[in-house]
Amino acid sequence: MCGIAGWVSYGRELADEGAVLDAMTETMACRGPDDRGVWAEGHVGLGHRRLAIIDLPGGRQPMSFATAHGHVAMVYSGEAYNFTELRRELAGRGHRFTTDSDTEVVLHGYLEWGDEVAERLNGMYAFAVWDGRRDELVMIRDRMGIKPFYYYPTDDGVLFGSEPKAILANPLARPRVTLDGLRELFTMVKTPGHAVWDGMAEVEPGTVVTVGRDGLRRRVYWELETRPHADDRATTIATVRELLDDIVRRQLVADVPRCTLLSGGLDSSAMTAIAARQLGEHGEKVRSFAVDFVGQTDRFVADDLRGTPDTPFVHDVARTARTEHQDIVLDPQALADPEIRAKVVRARDLPAGFGDMDASLYLLFRAIRGESTVALSGESADEVFGGYLQFFDEQARQGTTFPWLVSFGRHFGQDAETLDPALLTALDLGTYVTDGHRTAVGGIRRLDGESDFEYAMRRMSHLHLTRFVRILLDRKDRASMAVGLEVRVPFCDHRLVEYVYNTPWALKSFDGREKSLLREATADVLPKSVYDRVKSPYPSTQDPAYATALRAQAKDLLADPAHPVFDLVDKARLHDLAHRTDPVSGQAERRGLERTLDLAVWLDLYRPELALS
């Protein structure tokens, strides 16, 4: 895993822009603490920061290959889990390799197949190839959007990077956010290609973006397609397990210490147990890590979202799978620490507003990084198998809006409750969401003979797999790479996604429960407690001291009435939240404080130009 950056300028000589290229590259130091490299030739400059995972001595980047008609150079972030098969095939076609890295395999794959190498890759990746033979830059992103990738067209070329901060380090990039960017920020709809920052875009998942002298063009090489599903229940369950066994085996490959993220839920427990069985065949043990909060298990109070604490289930799995387990226990002071908030906002380049759930994720990853370099996560199984509450919510099933917004608004409140009334009117968030939803569902193909109910559930699954999952994948990537930890997501393997997406809802929930297919496919490796457990989201602290700390910070912010955050938020509303005296730490009230504090930190760190009219 790595961080990449680059600049193509057909109107200037970039060998003379070393200081700018260095600045862009160094913003990615957290993503690649092990090595750095810059390659510049003519009107292209490529930068790379490396986190060494496979072939530690080799695999240095930027990696280039000299041809008779020009250099082909690449900066690559990610992992190709099928690189050994591709290497064998390419060797059979006459290619010769000097390292054991997957990077060299991808570069030679491009030399052999051009941008169609994308269709041959199984993995998570974001990479850019400068093809000197054609005087073009080719940018390719993985199918699910696991690895982030941004670009910023200029008058005579393009800037690109793993994260917006790499692009914003170039003076050509204007740190500007318009009303449209704020709409995207405040709605959780994840519009494809939208980067919030004005003039910037994401390379969309499953897409190739090519930049040449004549401009920019896009090619979609993968999208989620509707297909008939002919397998019966037993065959479907068996196929899911076969896929999971193969996926986990591939994703355990690394030349550095690896571990699993274990929450005690079905997804991470199944993944951990399969990994433990596979490594056990070679006399190895899995290391597992879980996040917990001081006193949470003893003082846990069930609510509509979380019926049980995670820790007892985590320990059941650790005992059953015989993992070397460690709980990372956090206190409310660490979760509310302004320095941690700043690190999280800096990692995301935006004020995401997930509060303690973002802080705890960052702190968990920071602690794990001291022990391991690669972690396998159960992320995305809920989107693939239908695990969220909204999949069973009649209001969400009506299909009039993005389904997670129904659940999220019910439990966490709305950003509209925090924002300045005049700004809220200008934003018209309701129309933005409605238009976005209409566009999102418009291209979802219905099977011939598919019932209204099955089609409604297909639409819901499609939205989660093409919109919501990208929010969570970005969150996990940014938090992990901010501390140099590579997180792999087995449930995002495109083979599994395609197969389960086209499985009818009647099969996905054949026993009336969430994730029935996954539960049955992994029943043999799960403790009964986890097999029977009801879905519980990522944990959040219940300690009232956390809310108390937020209120104190909000009071400090109110003491600076000229702070630019008050161009965005309702000062009177913040005053009410900050001066509450009851001990309640409800999610909606806390989110209002968290969102405001995040916004304030973002404005202080990035000094964005806000175009509010």
Side-chain angles (χ1 to χ4, degrees):
M1 198 68 67
C2 308
I4 64 175
W7 182 7
V8 173
S9 174
Y10 290 104
R12 71 179 79 194
E13 175 64 50
L14 291 188
D16 299 330
E17 299 288 349
V20 176
L21 286 169
D22 283 343
M24 294 175 69
T25 302
E26 288 312 297
T27 64
M28 297 291 93
C30 58
R31 298 184 70 91
D34 296 330
D35 197 9
R36 71 176 300 279
V38 173
W39 182 90
E41 182 178 88
H43 40 255
V44 61
L46 306 177
H48 187 265
R49 291 291 312 212
R50 186 184 184 205
L51 175 64
I53 302 294
I54 293 174
D55 186 12
L56 306 190
R60 296 195 69 190
Q61 298 186 51
M63 187 174 285
S64 64
F65 187 89
T67 77
H69 303 287
H71 278 97
V72 177
M74 183 176 77
V75 282
Y76 170 83
S77 170
E79 304 291 345
Y81 302 124
N82 63 334
F83 79 96
T84 54
E85 296 100 312
L86 290 175
R87 181 188 177 101
R88 193 179 308 119
E89 181 179 358
L90 288 164
R93 291 171 175 261
H95 291 261
R96 297 294 176 260
F97 298 91
T98 60
T99 76
D100 294 324
S101 72
D102 61 334
T103 302
E104 189 179 18
V105 173
V106 174
L107 176 57
H108 279 264
Y110 177 83
L111 290 168
E112 180 68 28
W113 299 299
D115 66 26
E116 291 182 359
V117 67
E119 284 93 329
R120 295 173 178 265
L121 296 176
N122 177 309
M124 55 179 188
Y125 45 85
F127 61 97
V129 179
W130 172 253
D131 193 334
R133 302 167 302 181
R134 298 177 176 85
D135 217 25
E136 290 182 337
L137 180 78
V138 179
M139 298 180 284
I140 300 176
R141 191 177 182 195
D142 67 65
R143 295 169 179 84
M144 293 295 291
I146 303 168
K147 303 315 298 175
F149 202 175
Y150 295 83
Y151 66 97
Y152 186 101
T154 64
D155 290 342
D156 68 345
V158 71
L159 311 172
F160 70 85
S162 291
E163 300 178 8
K165 59 176 66 70
I167 294 170
L168 294 173
N170 190 302
L172 294 178
R174 187 177 176 186
R176 184 171 185 263
V177 178
T178 66
L179 285 175
D180 189 63
L182 292 178
R183 292 182 185 107
E184 185 68 18
L185 178 64
F186 292 132
T187 52
M188 285 187 69
V189 301
K190 196 56 178 175
T191 304
H194 207 303
V196 176
W197 296 96
D198 189 39
M200 195 181 299
E202 282 190 290
V203 177
E204 294 183 33
T207 300
V208 178
V209 176
T210 303
V211 179
R213 290 183 179 274
D214 56 349
L216 182 149
R217 62 185 185 274
R218 299 177 181 85
R219 180 177 75 85
V220 176
Y221 71 88
W222 183 88
E223 55 190 346
L224 199 56
E225 295 180 349
T226 298
R227 300 169 185 161
H229 183 86
D231 293 345
D232 61 16
R233 182 195 299 180
T235 304
T236 301
I237 291 170
T239 301
V240 167
R241 179 54 179 271
E242 289 169 8
L243 284 168
L244 285 173
D245 284 341
D246 180 67
I247 293 164
V248 172
R249 183 171 286 106
R250 289 177 181 275
Q251 297 199 19
L252 284 172
V253 175
D255 294 334
V256 293
R258 63 253 200 262
C259 66
T260 66
L261 307 177
L262 180 58
S263 70
L266 175 60
D267 320 332
S268 65
S269 299
M271 179 266 301
T272 295
I274 291 173
R277 177 173 289 188
Q278 292 179 356
L279 290 182
E281 296 170 357
H282 304 285
E284 296 184 60
K285 279 192 172 185
V286 165
R287 296 204 67 181
S288 59
F289 293 87
V291 68
D292 196 8
F293 308 106
V294 174
Q296 181 100 328
T297 301
D298 294 337
R299 298 193 296 265
F300 183 81
V301 177
D303 58 27
D304 292 341
L305 273 180
R306 302 174 179 88
T308 51
D310 286 347
T311 300
F313 300 92
V314 166
H315 293 172
D316 282 353
V317 176
R319 282 191 296 269
T320 302
R322 296 187 175 89
T323 74
E324 294 181 3
H325 181 73
Q326 183 177 344
D327 291 326
I328 306 301
V329 183
L330 307 174
D331 60 40
Q333 290 73 32
L335 295 172
D337 186 344
E339 290 188 9
I340 298 301
R341 183 179 303 282
K343 289 180 182 297
V344 169
V345 172
R346 180 67 177 163
R348 299 288 293 273
D349 291 308
L350 291 171
F354 283 97
D356 74 303
M357 291 185 286
D358 270 350
S360 66
L361 192 68
Y362 174 86
L363 291 167
L364 170 66
F365 290 157
R366 189 173 71 174
I368 292 174
R369 185 61 178 89
E371 309 287 338
S372 185
T373 311
V374 171
L376 271 65
S377 166
E379 191 76 82
S380 308
D382 287 307
E383 289 84 359
V384 174
F385 289 96
Y388 292 117
L389 288 176
Q390 55 261 29
F391 279 97
F392 300 86
D393 185 301
E394 288 304 319
Q395 183 182 351
R397 282 176 166 179
Q398 290 175 9
T400 57
T401 191
F402 294 98
W404 53 89
L405 295 183
V406 175
S407 177
F408 199 87
R410 188 177 296 149
H411 296 288
F412 296 97
Q414 304 285 355
D415 279 328
E417 299 169 4
T418 305
L419 298 178
D420 175 79
L423 174 63
L424 196 58
T425 298
L427 290 173
D428 190 11
L429 298 179
T431 298
Y432 189 74
V433 171
T434 299
D435 291 347
H437 180 262
R438 185 184 302 112
T439 300
V441 300
I444 303 173
R445 190 172 74 83
R446 182 174 188 167
L447 277 178
D448 292 341
E450 192 168 43
S451 71
D452 290 346
F453 175 73
E454 282 288 350
Y455 182 51
M457 298 311 294
R458 177 182 294 281
R459 290 198 306 269
M460 186 176 283
S461 295
H462 194 282
L463 290 173
H464 279 84
L465 289 167
T466 58
R467 296 294 188 103
F468 190 61
V469 75
R470 296 177 187 176
I471 297 173
L472 299 186
L473 288 172
D474 185 73
R475 169 179 178 259
K476 185 148 286 183
D477 174 89
R478 301 296 196 89
S480 61
M481 294 307 292
V483 296
L485 176 70
E486 173 175 297
V487 173
R488 299 177 177 180
V489 279
F491 290 105
C492 273
D493 186 292
H494 70 279
R495 299 168 298 162
L496 181 69
V497 171
E498 291 169 349
Y499 185 77
V500 178
Y501 169 66
N502 284 297
T503 301
W505 182 255
L507 265 181
K508 286 179 184 171
S509 62
F510 62 79
D511 58 2
R513 300 183 62 190
E514 78 280 1
K515 295 181 286 195
S516 307
L517 282 179
L518 178 59
R519 184 177 291 103
E520 290 306 311
T522 57
D524 62 307
V525 296
L526 294 172
K528 188 176 186 304
S529 61
V530 173
Y531 180 90
D532 292 335
R533 190 186 186 193
V534 175
K535 161 71 182 174
S536 183
Y538 182 86
S540 178
T541 182
Q542 296 183 341
D543 195 324
Y546 174 69
T548 299
L550 294 182
R551 290 172 184 161
Q553 292 172 28
K555 290 175 183 176
D556 291 341
L557 185 58
L558 286 163
D560 181 10
H563 195 286
V565 74
F566 297 114
D567 292 332
L568 302 177
V569 304
D570 184 343
K571 188 182 298 185
R573 166 69 171 164
L574 181 63
H575 183 277
D576 291 344
L577 291 175
H579 289 84
R580 288 184 59 162
T581 57
D582 61 84
V584 175
S585 56
Q587 293 282 2
E589 290 81 4
R590 275 174 35 182
R591 178 165 166 78
L593 293 167
E594 291 166 337
R595 170 60 93 181
T596 300
L597 294 170
D598 279 3
L599 282 166
V601 169
W602 176 63
L603 292 168
D604 289 340
L605 287 175
Y606 287 83
R607 306 285 180 180
E609 174 191 343
L610 298 178
L612 302 182
S613 60

